[in-house]
Amino acid sequence: MIQSVAFIGLGAMGYRMAAHLPQHFDTVYVWNRNFAKAEQHAAEYATQAVELEQAVQADVIFSCLPTSQDVENLLDGLSLKAGSIWVDCTSGVPDSAKKVAAQLKAQQVDFLDAPVSGQTIGAEKGTLTVMVGGDAQAFEKALPAMQAFGQLIKHVGEPGAGFAVKAINNMLMAVNLCAVAEGFTTLKAHGVNLNEALDCINASSGKSAVTEMVLPQRILNRAFPLTFALPLLAKDTGIALDLVRDAKLSAPVLGLAQSLIQAANATAEPDSDFSSAVKMYEAWSKITIE
Ligand code: NDP
């Protein structure tokens, strides 16, 4: 039985994910590096803003930080409670999950890599997809806590498997984003009405999450709302390509998408949403996708 939960990292995702926990658990600790955000969360959702040392005494500890390195740095020197489960919702590095899971096992703590997809709107609605790697028994124990913000929750394998699935998912989205930028600048060059073209494609075999959501909600309307930062997507495509290299496979399409997303990230304005990657194509072609 889970008596207490904690959430560490109240960013764009974490703030919203943690908001669901008080409906299911009596004791919900929150901690954030900028502590004012934790205090704001406590005031808004009746969670408890506490010091990090206290937060990590919960039965289930969630983290959602930018990178695995941030999580490793945070864990360094922390003393955890035997029998607890650390559920890391960061989109992280599989090798880091394997290493941290082994280290925490020595403290009788389980580590699950449990990255999420569904964007900030999914975090707000509690409809995220959670892809989990790690010990199967720990997964079963932590499941009720993950259900607070997750809709589809899958145990996908050993430590690192969840991070691997997430990296490949985001790589597939990046491939689509690049292909859509190329396809829609081409259509515009041929004088096609892009909104009408989009309706046709979304009723045809070329559709994807990018054409169904990203293009109409972020690009065609020129909104580019910052909910998932472009450097985070660049990080994810890097993780995916490392997986390809580790397996000694050849993945030319993924490799090209990784280079394109890196280039888009390098040339983007600060605080750019991932959808802004198409602006690189717009600059090259002098064609705006609108
Ligand atoms: P944000 O940048 O919005 O939030 C990052 C959070 O991590 C903040 O709470 C920040 O604290 C904290 N943080 C950053 N660096 C450190 C550090 N060194 N030590 C301690 N805390 C730190 O990121 P997101 O919420 O967008 O993303 C978090 C993770 O979720 C990433 O791995 C991302 O790839 C993934 N993700 C994001 C999605 C999205 O749509 N945004 C969707 C799915 C996954 P502070 O407030 O002090 O800066």
Side-chain angles (χ1 to χ4, degrees), residues 8-15 31-35 37 64-67 69-71 73-74 89-92 115-121 128 166 170 218 227-229 232-233 235-236 274:
I8 292 167
L10 303 171
M13 293 299 286
Y15 197 90
W31 181 85
N32 194 65
R33 181 177 62 177
N34 167 5
F35 198 67
K37 262 197 221 172
C64 190
L65 304 185
T67 67
Q69 192 58 58
D70 295 323
V71 176
N73 293 347
L74 192 90
C89 300
T90 303
S91 298
V116 296
S117 75
Q119 305 204 340
T120 49
I121 183 75
L128 293 172
K166 175 67 187 175
N170 280 20
R218 292 170 189 260
T227 67
F228 176 44
L232 293 176
L233 177 61
K235 168 209 54 164
D236 294 337
F274 73 101

Side-chain angles (χ1 to χ4, degrees), residues 21-44:
L21 295 170
Q23 293 152 36
H24 304 271
F25 302 98
D26 291 338
T27 304
V28 181
Y29 299 133
V30 290
W31 181 85
N32 194 65
R33 181 177 62 177
N34 167 5
F35 198 67
K37 262 197 221 172
E39 287 170 332
Q40 188 188 329
H41 198 277
E44 209 171 330

